[in-house]
Amino acid sequence: MYLIKKKRVLHDSIFLMDIVAPRVAKYCQPGQFVIVRIDEMGERVPLTVCDYNREEGTVTIVVQTIGASTLRMKELNEGEYLHDFVGPLGQPSELITDDIEEVKKKKILFVAGGLGTAPVYPQVKWLHEHGIDADVIVGAKNKDLVILEEEMKAVAGNLYITTDDGSYVRKGLVTEVIADLVEKEGKKYDLCVSIGPMIMMKFCTLTTKKYNIPTIVSMNPIMVDGTGMCGACRLTVGDEVKFACIDGPEFDGFKVNFDEAMERMKLYRTEEGRAMLKLKEGDTHHGGCGHCDGGDK
Amino acid sequence: MAAPGFERVPISEQEASVRAKNFDEVCLGYTEEEAVLEASRCLNCKNPRCVQGCPVNIDIPGFIMALKEQNFKGAYDKISESSALPAVCGRVCPQETQCEALCIRGVKGDAVSIGKLERYTADRAREEGIKPHTDCAPNGHKIAVIGSGPAGLTCAGDLARLGYDVTIFEALHEAGGVLTYGIPEFRLPKDTVVAAEIENVKALGVKIETNVVIGKSVTIDELMEDEGFEAVFIGSGAGLPMFMKIPGENAKGVFSANEYLTRNNLMKAFREDSDTPIFRPAKVAVVGGGNVAMDAARTALRLGAEVTIVYRRSEAELPARVEEVHHAKEEGIKFELLTNPVEILEDDDHNVRAMKCIRMELGEPDASGRRRPVPVEGSEFELETNAVIMALGTSPNPLIASTTEGLDTNKWKCIVASEENGQTSKEGVFAGGDAVTGAATVILAMGAGKAAAKGIDEYIKSKN
């Protein structure tokens, strides 16, 4: 059992938790993820590490309610427990493992979409702590869905926020911000790290490719064990099949077959939605919810 | 009941048409009367060949004689001397190729039904609350065991009995390894059988820490240097699934058997109250002919699908236990033998719509001694299906070997370890089970766990 030391509601559907998990906190690095299970009947939910405190033995996760398990997790409060919390899983970000002097020479742009702000944050923070200030674009549907703004501002070089509906800072997609930075402001970037919904990462790589900016993406496909055992998370990267859980989650964005990855995400969508509806509506739900939207993981 | 003769006492099973729709156990086990009668068929050979066929050397005539005398506790104690998991082994061991294959009764008539008697003994002990002896004096030496499958549980149990302070590290949220995530409920009930035998191992003083991925959460070197473990046993199994590398394999509806079975068994997706989804289409094709293929096929059948097993060799070469093939057929699973998939065909939405297969014929024997299947030119056909489950075998996860300095592996990524005592290339580190041999059976892993426990005991004694 893993204690919820702190909980903060970021939005109606998004919350942050500090979980006491000393083994994970000791080793986790930006870019890695954990798997969480709320209770005996809960799904194994993969979540990217948002922050960690090695001294206190805590790991910070940010969760969006997308299915029955995360909806029940939202109801938990400080002082309560998660049933399971395992990690760190996957490979750390290359920025962390590469030669720091080489990294320092690069001008880096992060592009975060929605909940993707959470996994981008520890990377930007890590760079900041190592004397590297990276530019960060945060995109969200609307003002309420912009998360971790203050935290990000404290560690980013320049922070550019954009919203789909224009309810905050500016209106437009992250790709438009990239284009403006490169074309209007004449910025030059040597590396882009893009984390968010797959559709955003896809269009982000199409844009950065135009400007020849190598781009790393963090893939978040369907997963079960997270240790390479099931192969549910397999992706086509270049001409190879990779497992996001052990080979990733970060990959060369120019090589990832996003269309295939997005199709594979849809497999359980109606079943996820069904489980969520069942929970929300209890006995009043009688199935037939083929149209409900389970949302992106 | 008739006097014991050349034929074994038949065992009752759930009727095929009924069990095809539920996840309850297929085999119902012997009654007391049946078990005692079957036990009386044992000739109590002076030189029991059956024991030589048992990878953990259970005193088979010893327990069967006790059973014959209705001394059920005595029978259980005899088995417990050698095995920590009798209720599991009585169900999933391939007795027909091990102990029972060597039974003298089998020369003329049926071998004694050793497996079913072991199962009866273990089930009866559990129902009556009979526990294995736990009076082991602690010797103060700490041993780490990686993986809580059959190899790890056996190694840990044997070491605890010798007085060692044993901690098992398990990557998943539940102990049991393949017994928990792989073998389905209808062959091996989880709550009653698996959990109970794991509790028995814990009763010996063995601690189990779940949610620890060795190589990620902590390394072997750190366990030995920082956490005070004097020796480590690696029983991490063969967890990586194989795929065929044919076109269409990433279509929606193609799964590894590992994924499909894990969803159903570990995550309990077959139950209404589980959050974990499982794909439940009308038609399922399972590729492969081993026990895992049978398990996946019979699971899909119970989830409501029409199921076809596609295997490239003929029936004689099916690696699955005869009993499992027989059960699968009884339940209505179709077999396309001498058939191999060449491509998975998708509809416009990238869902599996069919599998293109080719007919095979058997040619010359290959390295495995089995006749090699060769494609029959021009025999391609489409098998209509909505899902494909790949049950082609598994290989060891390279995670532990790649994060442990000085631990040698072979070209199949298997850890190199002595068959006799489990010793690896690294001092104080032992290994056994599928992590060493590649995918094999529960009982062979248990045998390896046992040998390594002995090896570890000798190693610790030699150092102190």
Side-chain angles (χ1 to χ4, degrees):
Chain A
M1 301 291 268
Y2 301 80
L3 177 70
I4 302 166
K5 196 168 175 190
K6 194 178 101 182
K7 181 189 175 188
R8 212 172 100 204
V9 176
L10 305 181
H11 174 264
D12 201 27
S13 66
I14 304 174
F15 53 95
L16 174 151
M17 282 176 173
D18 286 351
I19 308 297
V20 177
R23 283 199 190 275
V24 186
K26 190 171 172 191
Y27 291 104
C28 64
Q29 296 282 8
Q32 292 188 295
F33 67 98
V34 295
I35 284 186
V36 174
R37 208 170 66 115
I38 179 177
D39 54 30
E40 279 292 338
M41 280 298 142
E43 233 186 305
R44 289 173 67 92
V45 181
L47 296 165
T48 318
V49 170
C50 173
D51 205 352
Y52 46 86
N53 185 324
R54 304 213 198 278
E55 287 74 44
E56 291 183 13
T58 57
V59 178
T60 306
I61 50 173
V62 174
V63 188
Q64 185 160 27
T65 52
I66 49 151
S69 283
T70 45
L71 212 55
R72 284 209 301 286
M73 205 185 296
K74 191 184 150 197
E75 301 306 314
L76 292 180
N77 290 307
E78 286 173 12
E80 293 187 282
Y81 294 84
L82 295 176
H83 204 285
D84 298 288
F85 193 90
V86 60
L89 301 168
Q91 305 297 330
S93 161
E94 279 183 22
L95 292 171
I96 290 22
T97 53
D98 281 355
D99 179 6
I100 184 80
E101 295 309 319
E102 289 302 312
V103 177
K104 275 183 178 166
K105 290 180 194 158
K106 288 180 182 164
K107 187 71 191 148
I108 304 166
L109 174 68
F110 284 87
V111 181
L115 199 69
T117 312
V120 160
Y121 172 69
Q123 301 198 22
V124 179
K125 182 183 170 190
W126 190 92
L127 290 173
H128 179 71
E129 284 169 351
H130 288 78
I132 304 164
D133 283 335
D135 285 356
V136 180
I137 301 171
V138 170
K141 268 190 187 141
N142 56 52
K143 186 182 178 188
D144 289 347
L145 287 162
V146 174
I147 58 167
L148 303 171
E149 186 185 348
E150 287 309 311
E151 287 86 346
M152 196 66 93
K153 209 178 267 172
V155 293
N158 298 298
L159 176 61
Y160 308 95
I161 293 175
T162 184
T163 46
D164 292 1
D165 66 353
S167 56
Y168 194 49
V169 189
R170 68 174 271 178
K171 181 180 161 79
L173 301 169
V174 290
T175 46
E176 293 164 13
V177 183
I178 299 171
D180 283 355
L181 289 176
V182 174
E183 289 183 20
K184 289 187 187 160
E185 298 193 23
K187 295 237 183 195
K188 294 218 182 311
Y189 293 106
D190 304 302
L191 179 71
C192 172
V193 178
S194 173
I195 309 180
M198 282 194 197
I199 186 81
M200 183 214 86
M201 293 192 286
K202 176 187 170 179
F203 281 98
C204 185
T205 56
L206 291 175
T207 306
T208 52
K209 200 167 194 169
K210 238 173 29 193
Y211 304 123
N212 279 318
I213 309 169
T215 301
I216 303 289
V217 295
S218 178
M219 300 301 285
N220 49 354
I222 293 170
M223 234 176 238
V224 185
D225 63 289
T227 63
M229 207 181 85
C230 80
C233 66
R234 61 194 191 276
L235 308 159
T236 304
V237 181
D239 49 13
E240 286 178 289
V241 174
K242 297 277 189 188
F243 287 5
C245 68
I246 47 173
D247 301 317
E250 298 193 355
F251 293 100
D252 178 345
F254 293 165
K255 289 188 179 166
V256 170
N257 183 338
F258 284 104
D259 292 337
E260 179 190 272
M262 284 188 282
E263 275 305 321
R264 290 181 58 79
M265 290 288 285
K266 290 181 193 164
L267 183 65
Y268 295 109
R269 189 155 291 182
T270 54
E271 293 194 43
E272 248 174 32
R274 228 173 262 150
M276 180 151 116
L277 266 188
K278 196 171 72 188
L279 188 92
K280 262 188 169 167
E281 302 180 2
D283 290 341
T284 61
H285 178 57
H286 296 289
C289 59
H291 303 292
C292 65
D293 183 14
D296 283 321
K297 279 230 161 170
Chain B
M1 209 169 273
F6 293 119
E7 285 175 22
R8 57 175 53 176
V9 176
I11 199 153
S12 48
E13 290 173 347
Q14 265 200 86
E15 209 215 310
S17 63
V18 175
R19 69 181 193 241
K21 294 186 179 67
N22 68 48
F23 278 90
D24 299 338
E25 200 172 1
V26 170
C27 174
L28 302 173
Y30 278 142
T31 62
E32 178 179 326
E33 193 188 359
E34 288 165 347
V36 171
L37 188 69
E38 179 63 20
S40 72
R41 291 184 64 235
C42 175
L43 301 174
N44 195 13
C45 304
K46 272 214 180 64
N47 180 15
R49 302 199 305 173
C50 52
V51 180
Q52 295 159 27
C54 174
V56 296
N57 301 109
I58 292 173
D59 177 359
I60 294 167
F63 98 80
I64 294 182
M65 284 306 112
L67 205 53
K68 188 175 149 188
E69 288 153 17
Q70 285 164 287
N71 174 6
F72 302 109
K73 183 175 182 309
Y76 182 71
D77 288 344
K78 266 278 173 254
I79 297 177
S80 293
E81 285 169 13
S82 310
S83 173
L85 308 171
V88 169
C89 289
R91 288 170 165 84
V92 303
C93 265
Q95 291 99 6
E96 63 280 5
T97 61
Q98 297 178 159
C99 53
E100 292 177 12
L102 298 173
C103 175
I104 202 79
R105 274 277 188 193
V107 176
K108 199 174 175 190
D110 293 339
V112 174
S113 196
I114 300 167
K116 300 290 190 279
L117 292 178
E118 181 185 26
R119 171 190 159 139
Y120 178 80
T121 306
D123 286 358
R124 173 127 188 180
R126 186 179 64 247
E127 282 154 20
E128 295 188 355
I130 300 168
K131 297 276 174 198
H133 293 293
T134 53
D135 44 353
C136 21
N139 65 16
H141 295 290
K142 271 178 81 178
I143 313 291
V145 169
I146 301 169
S148 63
L153 287 171
T154 301
C155 186
D158 277 19
L159 287 170
R161 255 190 223 106
L162 293 168
Y164 289 93
D165 176 3
V166 187
T167 304
I168 301 181
F169 296 97
E170 167 57 47
L172 291 171
H173 57 259
E174 224 169 282
V178 74
L179 308 175
T180 298
Y181 75 75
I183 303 176
E185 190 75 20
F186 55 81
R187 227 157 49 85
L188 186 62
K190 306 297 159 225
D191 292 345
T192 47
V193 176
V194 180
E197 297 217 318
I198 291 172
E199 281 307 313
N200 283 346
V201 173
K202 282 162 91 174
L204 297 167
V206 173
K207 288 160 275 190
I208 302 182
E209 195 180 332
T210 53
N211 295 325
V212 182
V213 184
I214 301 297
K216 286 284 179 193
S217 312
V218 63
T219 63
I220 287 182
D221 291 309
E222 286 159 340
L223 285 178
M224 298 179 84
E225 284 157 27
D226 306 340
E227 300 196 24
F229 290 101
E230 293 169 65
V232 176
F233 173 73
I234 306 169
S236 50
L240 294 193
M242 291 181 199
F243 288 93
M244 292 189 80
K245 299 193 161 99
I246 56 173
E249 218 169 10
N250 284 357
K252 278 182 286 176
V254 184
F255 309 94
S256 73
N258 262 6
E259 176 186 353
Y260 191 74
L261 291 171
T262 300
R263 283 180 182 277
N264 202 65
N265 304 335
L266 176 72
M267 306 310 295
K268 316 237 177 285
F270 69 95
R271 279 169 52 171
E272 262 294 299
D273 56 350
S274 170
D275 286 350
T276 301
I278 194 161
F279 196 52
R280 303 173 91 145
K283 288 185 175 177
V284 172
V286 177
V287 183
N291 288 321
V292 175
M294 299 304 139
D295 285 347
R298 296 169 71 198
T299 297
L301 180 92
R302 283 161 173 75
L303 292 173
E306 194 183 295
V307 186
T308 307
I309 285 179
V310 175
Y311 178 59
R312 63 196 182 127
R313 300 180 201 249
S314 73
E315 175 146 6
E317 288 84 22
L318 278 170
R321 290 183 69 189
V322 174
E323 182 178 317
E324 303 308 325
V325 176
H326 170 71
H327 279 153
K329 283 186 174 169
E330 269 187 348
E331 289 165 11
I333 286 170
K334 284 182 269 181
F335 284 74
E336 286 284 359
L337 300 166
L338 287 167
T339 302
N340 208 26
V342 288
E343 183 180 358
I344 293 160
L345 306 168
E346 305 171 18
D347 66 15
D348 294 341
D349 293 324
H350 303 284
N351 298 300
V352 173
R353 84 172 164 80
M355 187 161 72
K356 192 170 159 192
C357 301
I358 190 163
R359 297 291 182 196
M360 310 291 276
E361 59 190 4
L362 293 180
E364 297 299 308
D366 64 11
S368 74
R370 297 180 298 180
R371 290 175 65 194
R372 188 215 306 262
V374 284
V376 178
E377 217 170 299
S379 66
E380 287 94 343
F381 69 101
E382 282 184 19
L383 177 77
E384 201 187 303
T385 188
N386 316 106
V388 176
I389 300 171
M390 294 292 181
L392 309 161
T394 51
S395 61
N397 196 323
L399 184 60
I400 288 176
S402 67
T403 54
T404 309
E405 190 97 8
L407 187 65
D408 291 350
T409 53
N410 65 19
K411 63 177 171 177
W412 297 283
K413 306 257 191 263
C414 296
I415 296 168
V416 179
S418 147
E419 209 173 304
E420 196 193 329
N421 61 14
Q423 175 67 55
T424 66
S425 57
K426 189 178 171 76
E427 198 196 323
V429 179
F430 297 74
D434 286 4
V436 169
T437 57
T441 61
V442 167
I443 189 68
L444 286 174
M446 288 176 62
K450 213 172 180 52
K454 201 162 154 275
I456 289 171
D457 184 44
E458 283 161 7
Y459 167 74
I460 297 289
K461 281 183 178 146
S462 74
K463 279 186 62 184
N464 290 278

